[in-house]
Amino acid sequence: MFKLNLKIALRNLWKNGGITSINVGGLAIALAAFILVMMYVTYETTFDKGNPNYDNIYIVGRTMPEFKTNYTPPPLGKAIKQNFPEVMAVGTLKKGGFEFAISSDANTAFASNYLMVDYEAAKMLQLLPNEELAKPANEEGILFFLAKESMMTLFPKKKDDKPELVTLGSKAAGQTAEVKGTISVNKHSNVTFDALSVRKELGKNENYGYNNYNTYIQVKSGTDIAALEQKINTLYKNELIKDGQDVSTDRYKQTTIFLDPLKNQHLKPMAGNNAAYKVLIALSVLAMLILLIACINFTNLSIAQATKRAKEVGVKKVLGVYRYQLTFQFLTEILMQCVVATILGLLIAELLMPKFNALFNVSLSIWSANNALLYQLPLILLAITFIAGIYPAMVLSGFKPSLVLKGNFQTSRNTYWLRNSLLIVQFSVAVIFITSLLIISTQLKYMRTQDVGFNANQVVYIKNIMMFSDPRVFEPVRQKIMRIPGIKSVTVATGIPDGSENGSNGYTVNGVEASIDFLDVDFDYFETLDIKLADGRFFNKAFKTDTANSAIINESAAAKYGLTDPIGKTIRGCSMDYKIVGVVKDFKAQGFETPVQPTLYSIKNPCGNAKTQLMLKIDQDQMSEAIATLKAQWPDINKMDGDNFRYYFLNDLYGKLFQKQEQLQSVFFAAALLTIFIATLGLFAFAKYMTNNRMKEIAVRKVLGASDVQILKLLNSSFFAMVIIANCISWPLAYVLTKKWLETFAYRIDIPVLPFLISAAVTILLTVLTVSIQAAKAVKANPVNALKYE
């Protein structure tokens, strides 16, 4: 019996090759999209999961009055370890402030992600070399390691793991270091690096005023984290008092400690935004919807072929075959199609994988041994077989022999309403994707064309390791660069407007204290970036006090302190008084997702980092010549890293802030095309089914004198109504979803009406064309063929 059923199934699938191809092809494409997205979701949600202490590691952060931060002072970790037995280990990390060159005799690599850790952090976070990690012998001892890729670049023929002597920075500077060994960097981790120094202790002589370290703790299993947070918070306040910090201010009183799990750090850190997490949820829902509408489409196409299987079912039932046997037979046929669709889906996913990896900057592979897809796919196959096949199987196995053998049967009215509902769902999803795509594109266009408050064009950012905090040290370098033809201005700062966060500190004006950002700059900073002045003046060499205690604030800072006439006012912070000499207009240094932060700019700042970020404004017509001359003269201009001239265009760096949203736009574009394609296939199937069922009605109408246009209008009317209903359902959903997405931006568009109208026009046009093409066959058919047996 099984052999007979298999022959019938294969013969039936071959006989209806066109519909079978559409069925299998549509499901295969949807499965390919689902596989790619699910692999990416699995990758993004399993960062650091290979760490055996994954569930017990937390980062210690601080909730400030205006924001949250993961930066803490180095003595805090030691105090936590000494006071709380439930804390098994404490580790401290600090990221390097700049990129530097590492050279062997013949080759050079660049450390752009230099990480300093203490011994406990290296063990806790599994930052372990290929050989056993040795503990530094004393506080001054440093174990310097390189990522395997960097070591292979420097020593391509190296076969052992013996220490190697390398040069740091320019070879002319003569600064050397010993590389103890290599570490295979886990790129599927939140803690990555290309150069690592392991120390016995970090920040040994620094007090609670140095809030520029990350503190990780490992707790015992079952620890009450909420209670531990409270205890660490109390300890922190007491330690501040012991350290002589002023805890009487509102800023310190409102500062509290929080513990954020390691598993949260990649997608939804407490001290950060969860935009990546929201994008991932959107992608997951998108993938499931695509697969769902593909299953709906499969169901409709299968039911459209029901009339061709009716007599087969009737004969089998007369011969004594039970309904459950027929159901099993039809499910087996559908399983065969789903298996083929799955194989094709895997092949399509493999073909699309390079472009997908390039889009999301990942290196996923379907055939890797640890891919969860290998055991998930059989479950997915069974699920889609059941979802797509159970309804057609029940319909086909439920035909009454007495009706089907006479050639006169109709499926139930409930079945009709269900199929209508499924088609409406398909088009509703398609409309949501089309509308969302158009709104995302509008927001991205707004971000690309909106005035950000500064001009990154023609500004070149030069990588540098020389510290220019003292203007007198920087002035000779500035003069040498300015002699090069085409250079308009030169400046240096502690940061560039590429989305990077600035430092923050407490500043007081007229008795009002607030935590605001600060950025250490030099002369010509605002002129180089073409930042507009709102009041007062820029820093000027003619005023000697500008290098001592002058400050410029932005409009947000003036508003935060309620200053209507800030020029000449005193602002105190970092144990010194600044005189406000200017107010600049707000500019979007952090992009569109984050509001412009109240910021203070100064040339001298005791609390700031070293000024290393060089920016040059170059004439567009002399750009290539100026850069070539800079490269040639760089060893003389900047001896510390003169061998390694590297530059970037600032507008390219700023443009990377839009990368995530551009990825989302690309995904929604593909999803919109895919859902339209699948929905059109479903519409084609349903139109075919409805037309076949109404052949006799069409023949009677033609005999009675109905024109072709009237019949086409009749057949289109019900589908037109369904698409209108789909638009009415999907518009509110699309509005809510896109509104939620737009709320992740501090600066955004108002939701326009045009995308909703365009989505309606597209779906209506596709419906009319698809149904008319299918209905045209019925209209042109001879009425005699439909009525000759009546």
Side-chain angles (χ1 to χ4, degrees), residues 578-699:
Y578 293 94
K579 182 181 179 181
I580 299 173
V581 298
V583 178
V584 293
K585 290 185 175 294
D586 286 343
F587 61 97
K588 301 176 180 67
Q590 278 84 33
F592 285 74
E593 295 181 22
T594 305
V596 173
Q597 299 300 306
T599 308
L600 176 141
Y601 306 90
S602 64
I603 293 178
K604 180 181 179 181
N605 183 4
C607 298
N609 294 321
K611 286 186 276 190
T612 61
Q613 313 290 313
L614 283 169
M615 287 180 286
L616 285 63
K617 188 85 167 183
I618 304 178
D619 185 270
Q620 183 65 44
D621 297 331
Q622 296 177 277
M623 182 70 72
S624 57
E625 296 87 350
I627 290 175
T629 306
L630 268 170
K631 184 176 181 179
Q633 297 183 10
W634 199 244
D636 177 59
I637 294 173
N638 189 344
K639 291 183 171 56
M640 184 164 283
D641 64 342
D643 301 336
N644 309 296
F645 179 76
R646 286 115 49 225
Y647 71 93
Y648 300 89
F649 291 105
L650 187 60
N651 56 354
D652 291 340
L653 296 177
Y654 191 77
K656 289 181 179 179
L657 295 178
F658 307 150
Q659 187 175 16
K660 273 288 181 191
Q661 307 307 331
E662 287 170 348
Q663 288 173 349
L664 191 64
Q665 181 189 34
S666 300
V667 170
F668 262 83
F669 178 74
L673 289 180
L674 189 54
T675 51
I676 290 170
F677 173 72
I678 294 173
T680 304
L681 284 181
L683 181 63
F684 171 83
F686 202 15
K688 182 180 178 67
Y689 172 78
M690 291 290 290
T691 305
N692 288 342
N693 274 2
R694 300 178 73 174
M695 288 297 290
K696 292 177 183 177
E697 177 192 345
I698 293 169

Side-chain angles (χ1 to χ4, degrees), residues 396-685:
L396 288 167
S397 64
F399 289 152
K400 295 186 185 327
S402 59
L403 295 177
V404 297
L405 292 178
K406 288 192 295 184
N408 180 25
F409 74 98
Q410 292 289 335
T411 54
S412 71
R413 190 169 183 81
N414 289 335
T415 302
Y416 172 79
W417 280 108
L418 181 57
R419 287 196 304 273
N420 281 4
S421 300
L422 292 178
L423 194 62
I424 288 171
V425 168
Q426 281 185 305
F427 270 93
S428 295
V429 174
V431 170
I432 289 172
F433 283 149
I434 295 169
T435 308
S436 300
L437 170 65
L438 294 172
I439 292 174
I440 289 171
S441 301
T442 306
Q443 172 66 16
L444 281 173
K445 182 180 178 181
Y446 167 79
M447 291 162 63
R448 294 190 190 103
T449 57
Q450 180 74 0
D451 181 16
V452 295
F454 72 98
N455 186 4
N457 295 326
Q458 304 172 38
V459 177
V460 173
Y461 162 57
I462 300 178
K463 292 280 188 178
N464 163 66
I465 63 173
M466 186 70 179
M467 299 181 184
F468 295 119
S469 296
D470 189 341
R472 293 171 297 181
V473 175
F474 181 58
E475 190 56 34
V477 174
R478 185 204 302 272
Q479 290 176 2
K480 289 180 181 179
I481 295 175
M482 287 299 295
R483 293 192 193 107
I484 297 173
I487 306 292
K488 294 181 177 180
S489 62
V490 185
T491 191
V492 68
T494 54
I496 61 174
D498 63 345
S500 304
E501 294 183 0
N502 300 319
S504 62
N505 211 334
Y507 290 88
T508 304
V509 181
N510 295 337
V512 178
E513 184 192 24
S515 182
I516 65 172
D517 284 7
F518 63 83
L519 189 70
D520 305 343
V521 301
D522 208 280
F523 296 108
D524 294 333
Y525 173 83
F526 301 103
E527 293 89 335
T528 300
L529 294 173
D530 197 20
I531 296 168
K532 300 297 185 291
L533 189 67
D535 195 7
R537 62 175 177 84
F538 291 135
F539 294 125
N540 194 312
K541 294 176 187 175
F543 298 90
K544 293 184 179 180
T545 55
D546 282 1
T547 59
N549 66 343
S550 293
I552 292 174
I553 61 175
N554 64 0
E555 291 174 317
S556 292
K560 192 170 188 69
Y561 290 107
L563 299 175
T564 55
D565 185 20
I567 305 303
K569 295 288 193 303
T570 298
I571 180 169
R572 181 169 179 78
C574 289
S575 302
M576 66 176 292
D577 292 329
Y578 293 94
K579 182 181 179 181
I580 299 173
V581 298
V583 178
V584 293
K585 290 185 175 294
D586 286 343
F587 61 97
K588 301 176 180 67
Q590 278 84 33
F592 285 74
E593 295 181 22
T594 305
V596 173
Q597 299 300 306
T599 308
L600 176 141
Y601 306 90
S602 64
I603 293 178
K604 180 181 179 181
N605 183 4
C607 298
N609 294 321
K611 286 186 276 190
T612 61
Q613 313 290 313
L614 283 169
M615 287 180 286
L616 285 63
K617 188 85 167 183
I618 304 178
D619 185 270
Q620 183 65 44
D621 297 331
Q622 296 177 277
M623 182 70 72
S624 57
E625 296 87 350
I627 290 175
T629 306
L630 268 170
K631 184 176 181 179
Q633 297 183 10
W634 199 244
D636 177 59
I637 294 173
N638 189 344
K639 291 183 171 56
M640 184 164 283
D641 64 342
D643 301 336
N644 309 296
F645 179 76
R646 286 115 49 225
Y647 71 93
Y648 300 89
F649 291 105
L650 187 60
N651 56 354
D652 291 340
L653 296 177
Y654 191 77
K656 289 181 179 179
L657 295 178
F658 307 150
Q659 187 175 16
K660 273 288 181 191
Q661 307 307 331
E662 287 170 348
Q663 288 173 349
L664 191 64
Q665 181 189 34
S666 300
V667 170
F668 262 83
F669 178 74
L673 289 180
L674 189 54
T675 51
I676 290 170
F677 173 72
I678 294 173
T680 304
L681 284 181
L683 181 63
F684 171 83

Side-chain angles (χ1 to χ4, degrees), residues 301-312:
L301 282 167
S302 298
I303 295 172
Q305 297 300 300
T307 55
K308 296 182 180 181
R309 305 293 299 274
K311 289 184 180 179
E312 176 194 340

Side-chain angles (χ1 to χ4, degrees), residues 44 46 141 166 230 283 351 415 558 680 723:
E44 289 290 300
T46 54
V166 296
Q230 293 295 326
L283 289 176
L351 291 173
T415 302
T680 304
V723 174

Side-chain angles (χ1 to χ4, degrees), residues 716-728:
N716 269 292
S717 60
S718 60
F719 293 100
F720 182 83
M722 282 189 280
V723 174
I724 294 296
I725 292 170
N727 276 275
C728 291

Side-chain angles (χ1 to χ4, degrees), residues 259-274:
L259 299 178
D260 199 14
L262 180 64
K263 59 187 176 184
N264 285 357
Q265 297 310 300
H266 183 63
L267 292 174
K268 44 181 182 179
M270 294 175 68
N273 68 69
N274 60 351

